[in-house]
Amino acid sequence: MTAAALGAALAIATPAAFATAGPTGPAPSSPRAAAPAAQSATWAAGTRAYLVITAPGDTSAVRSAVTANGGTVFSYFDAIGVIVAHSTSSTFATTLRGVSGVQKVGATRTSDVPADAYNPALPANPAQAAPPTTEPVRSDMTQIKADQAWAVTTGSAAVKVGILDTGVDDQHQDLAPNFNAADSVSCAYGKPDTRAGAWRDVDQHGTHVAGTVAAAKNGKGAIGVAPGVKISSVRIAEPNSTLFFAENTICGLVWAGDHGFKVTNNSYYTDPWQFNCPNDLDQAAILEGVGRAQKYAEGKGSLQVAAAGNANYDLANKTTDTSSPNDSTPVTRTITNDCLDIPAELPGVVTVAANATNGTSKASFSNFGRDVIEVSAPGESVYSTVPGGKYSSLSGTSMASPHVAGVAALLASTNPGYTPADIRAKLGEQATDLACPADSRCTGTTARNSFFGEGRVDALKAVGSTPPPGKYFENQSDVAISDNTTVESSIAVSGVTGNAPATLKVGVDIKHTYIGDLKVDLVAPDGSVYNLHNRSGGSADNIVQTFTVNASSEVANGTWKLRVNDNANADTGKIDAWNLTF
């Protein structure tokens, strides 16, 4: 699926491979893990790429067999027994399957390898726009309590998060402070390209994802979930097509393991097959190769977080695939649950579904599945960084996954000894339970179901449950909002020295079916009124947002109130919770 086609279909984050139903630095620490090998000096029409799978260790004998049987070795990964071979021979795969020591062989595409693979062009380094002068806390961050977590920690600079995607604009003013060029690379075509800038974005998807994970808390534009950690770009998308083929994914995961990434974000599926089936010889090799790479990275201490996909598809009850192969002409085929969306459905990977803007329902596009979805996170209209110093709102499970990767990075920051399994378990244990809506497709319990897994991730619990005393105050008692009434909810503040700050954070969670009815005010202890919301938003549901109020003229200690006026008939709701952060 082209970027244009997907955009027209859903206005999600562009191309097919971006987790939809259809989105350079030093050499590896283990030189044989992903070493380039001799290859054809020039590109030839009809060149196809293959994974040749053998026993991990010394692959030299099988590499010699590749060369002797009409192929060239493009790259190889001895540690996992995977060779990336190129050949123009239509019988290459069949011939190699008969060679001693070869376990599996499979074509990774149904189209030719681009000529760019033999002499890759560096991505553009875009001019940067003037930085914004504000940095509002957004509803997606308040829903997962990231804004409260920052009062405890913004994450450790010792924690590295790999962005396996279309690349990252490292010059962006919100990403440059946290960007780790030394461990960034391009793995497009399946071989590390460590030239400076090879990691840059060939679209906008990867830059957007990177901002959600770790945009700096610097007063400009946006804040990521873990704004104190480091991000590395591992570009696995190829230019022009922006597709993520298996050899690219394998290269990226091995790189992640060898370069000490505690977490990687994977907002894509491995092209060209939305689902790889073990009864197909080509797809069986892809499953084996990518599976070994994920297991290798996890064994090196790296947790993979992946988007579930945007087809509103039940991953636990697969029947058909209509979008594969997406690098040539898709066909409709019958599939079963043995066919996997990878890397999302690989063992050990955290599979993420998307919540809608209200934070409590499934985004309409999000894939789901009993015992497939691990957790959920905000995925609709997520505001984040895009290349050239700019910002944009995008939707998709591609946008949900980096929220979870950010929370995983906070867990790694506060618990340096945690293994990938430990972090994976804590993400679920600490998640906020979300009940199934009135939708027969959602099965399971409030604690674990097919729409949300174990629930929406919680950044505050990841850093230790509560912010420092004297800074954060919350009232979680429900207050009903009836038609044409005024209600109040109070918070008693004590132990804070002096006046409130000029950046007092007021977190509001109001459930109401027509927010255009509502006027919402913060009332200071002396009775001063600060308007937060005044009958805007029309028929939209719910106000889940953090407001910033200049309350520097107010004494901090005392009773603060949230006052809500309902000014019309027919729609009602409640103050679900609200909080103050000084």
Side-chain angles (χ1 to χ4, degrees):
M1 182 182 292
T2 65
L6 180 63
L10 199 56
I12 296 181
T14 56
F18 297 160
T20 66
T24 18
S29 57
S30 172
R32 296 180 67 85
Q39 55 180 286
S40 300
T42 58
W43 175 84
T47 298
R48 295 294 172 90
Y50 300 85
L51 297 182
V52 181
I53 311 294
T54 185
D58 184 359
T59 65
S60 58
V62 175
R63 281 186 272 129
S64 296
V66 166
T67 304
N69 287 278
T72 58
V73 174
F74 186 76
S75 62
Y76 58 95
F77 305 87
D78 274 351
I80 59 172
V82 174
I83 299 163
V84 179
H86 288 178
S87 181
T88 58
S89 171
S90 60
T91 62
F92 176 77
T94 302
T95 301
L96 259 290
R97 288 175 188 136
V99 170
S100 176
V102 173
Q103 299 173 357
K104 288 182 172 66
V105 180
T108 64
R109 9 181 134 214
T110 63
S111 58
D112 289 357
V113 174
D116 184 65
Y118 293 93
N119 187 24
L122 287 173
N125 185 10
Q128 301 294 310
T133 56
T134 59
E135 188 180 49
V137 177
R138 309 179 311 279
S139 63
D140 58 320
M141 295 298 165
T142 63
Q143 286 170 13
I144 65 170
K145 299 183 181 178
D147 56 332
Q148 298 176 38
W150 301 329
V152 181
T153 180
T154 57
S156 168
V159 171
K160 295 187 284 190
V161 179
I163 310 298
L164 276 62
D165 214 292
T166 62
V168 174
D169 178 6
D170 55 304
Q171 304 297 311
H172 196 293
Q173 68 270 352
D174 244 348
L175 300 179
N178 293 334
F179 191 78
N180 172 24
D183 293 307
S184 293
V185 70
S186 170
C187 270
Y189 310 115
K191 181 169 59 178
D193 180 351
T194 60
R195 292 176 297 165
W199 59 71
R200 292 198 176 114
D201 210 332
V202 294
D203 185 73
Q204 63 173 358
H205 191 268
T207 300
H208 195 277
V209 164
T212 300
V213 174
K217 196 172 187 293
N218 57 4
K220 303 172 184 177
I223 313 173
V225 177
V229 305
K230 293 297 182 182
I231 47 175
S232 301
S233 174
V234 181
R235 179 167 67 86
I236 61 172
E238 297 178 7
N240 302 316
S241 71
T242 55
L243 295 182
F244 305 73
F245 292 102
E247 59 268 37
N248 310 359
T249 303
I250 291 166
C251 173
L253 290 171
V254 171
W255 182 273
D258 284 340
H259 288 259
F261 298 168
K262 288 294 290 186
V263 182
T264 71
N265 187 81
N266 302 266
S267 289
Y268 61 92
Y269 69 77
T270 302
D271 298 293
W273 308 99
Q274 183 178 355
F275 302 103
N276 286 272
C277 301
N279 61 353
D280 178 284
L281 292 177
D282 291 328
Q283 293 162 41
I286 292 172
L287 284 167
E288 183 68 22
V290 178
R292 288 189 187 185
Q294 138 56 18
K295 187 175 180 180
Y296 177 84
E298 185 173 354
K300 291 281 191 174
S302 178
L303 175 70
Q304 278 55 253
V305 178
N310 303 331
N312 192 24
Y313 191 91
D314 187 351
L315 296 173
N317 292 284
K318 302 186 184 84
T319 55
T320 57
D321 174 14
T322 61
S323 62
S324 305
N326 64 3
D327 66 334
S328 55
T329 303
V331 296
T332 298
R333 58 179 181 147
T334 300
I335 61 172
T336 69
N337 285 349
D338 290 334
C339 304
L340 302 182
D341 178 335
I342 58 174
E345 290 190 272
L346 290 174
V349 174
V350 177
T351 310
V352 182
N355 298 127
T357 52
N358 62 14
T360 57
S361 61
K362 183 180 85 68
S364 60
F365 50 79
S366 180
N367 285 355
F368 56 98
R370 184 77 173 270
D371 298 325
V372 177
I373 301 301
E374 301 286 344
V375 289
S376 66
E380 271 191 351
S381 300
V382 174
Y383 184 80
S384 187
T385 50
V386 293
K390 300 176 183 178
Y391 300 82
S392 182
S393 293
L394 298 176
S395 295
T397 55
S398 283
M399 284 62 253
S401 181
H403 286 89
V404 178
V407 174
L410 291 177
L411 275 165
S413 297
T414 53
N415 303 276
Y418 272 9
T419 66
D422 293 332
I423 298 173
R424 183 168 60 248
K426 285 296 183 184
L427 286 169
E429 291 170 14
Q430 297 176 345
T432 301
D433 292 343
L434 296 176
C436 277
D439 187 327
S440 61
R441 300 174 303 164
C442 187
T443 60
T445 65
T446 298
R448 188 178 183 96
N449 57 59
S450 58
F451 273 19
F452 311 113
E454 294 190 75
R456 187 183 63 236
V457 290
D458 189 316
L460 180 58
K461 288 181 180 177
V463 299
S465 297
T466 56
K471 290 190 175 184
Y472 177 79
F473 303 85
E474 184 174 29
N475 187 337
Q476 295 185 346
S477 299
D478 291 352
V479 177
I481 305 170
S482 303
D483 286 330
N484 295 295
T485 60
T486 298
V487 299
E488 293 181 341
S489 177
S490 300
I491 290 177
V493 173
S494 61
V496 181
T497 303
N499 285 6
T503 56
L504 178 65
K505 304 299 183 186
V506 186
V508 175
D509 186 349
I510 294 174
K511 302 296 192 294
H512 197 280
T513 51
Y514 199 102
I515 64 173
D517 290 354
L518 302 181
K519 182 173 182 287
V520 182
D521 296 307
L522 175 69
V523 183
D526 68 354
S528 300
V529 177
Y530 298 85
N531 182 248
L532 306 178
H533 174 93
N534 194 3
R535 305 195 67 179
S536 60
S539 62
D541 293 346
N542 306 334
I543 302 173
V544 183
Q545 185 175 347
T546 296
F547 300 89
T548 300
V549 173
N550 183 351
S552 57
S553 63
E554 307 291 342
V555 174
N557 293 332
T559 299
W560 296 74
K561 298 177 181 178
L562 188 72
R563 178 181 293 161
V564 181
N565 307 99
D566 184 295
N567 294 278
N569 294 321
D571 291 271
T572 60
K574 65 180 179 179
I575 301 174
D576 202 5
W578 73 288
N579 58 70
L580 294 169
T581 304
F582 288 83

